[in-house]
Amino acid sequence: MPLSEQEQRLLEEMERSLYQNDADFVATVSGRRGRPNYTQIVLGSLLAIAGVATLVAGVIVQLPIVGVIGFALMLGGVLLALTPGKAAASAQPAGSAPRASAPKRSRSSFMDTINERWERRQDGDQGR
């Protein structure tokens, strides 16, 4: 079922607002991630395979600690293979301007940070 004209306008407005307000989210979700680190992927895959082998060996010899170690190796290998490298994480997507850093307060709680962000967004929307 196609969207009505009003729904399309509302959707476009929401997308514009998302791009303006949540640059971090857009950068995370966008397809531009940089080049993959093949060494990290291969090393993680080998570690995951070694973890599976250790897990199976732990089941065969009936030692739960060996199975737990195998699971930990497997999990670590998968995480290593799937996490982006430092170069890809620090690279900015093309077309994005560097953000001005806000003055940092010492030891602000999570809720204080969320409340400040909410207030900044509300102040920005007041001008429309």
Side-chain angles (χ1 to χ4, degrees):
M1 183 168 129
L3 297 175
S4 68
E5 229 176 89
Q6 180 184 5
E7 291 171 333
Q8 287 178 345
R9 278 188 304 221
L10 182 61
L11 180 61
E12 289 171 2
E13 182 180 330
M14 289 170 54
E15 287 175 349
R16 280 193 305 271
S17 176
L18 176 68
Y19 285 125
Q20 290 173 354
N21 294 333
D22 288 336
D24 293 336
F25 174 73
V26 171
T28 303
V29 176
S30 71
R32 299 178 185 168
R33 292 195 175 140
R35 290 183 43 211
N37 186 350
Y38 293 113
T39 305
Q40 189 173 353
I41 293 171
V42 169
L43 187 63
S45 300
L46 291 175
L47 191 61
I49 291 170
V52 169
T54 307
L55 180 66
V56 170
V59 170
I60 291 173
V61 297
Q62 296 179 351
L63 288 173
I65 189 68
V66 176
V68 170
I69 292 171
F71 179 77
L73 284 173
M74 187 173 51
L75 181 64
V78 168
L79 288 176
L80 181 66
L82 294 180
T83 55
K86 290 181 182 178
S90 65
Q92 287 187 348
S96 68
R99 296 178 56 187
S101 61
K104 293 185 179 180
R105 293 184 355 187
S106 62
R107 298 185 183 211
S108 64
S109 71
F110 175 72
M111 288 306 294
D112 289 339
T113 306
I114 296 298
N115 286 333
E116 287 175 4
R117 289 179 70 188
W118 176 257
E119 289 171 4
R120 280 194 311 246
R121 286 183 183 167
Q122 293 302 315
D123 292 342
D125 289 342
Q126 296 282 337
R128 290 182 185 185

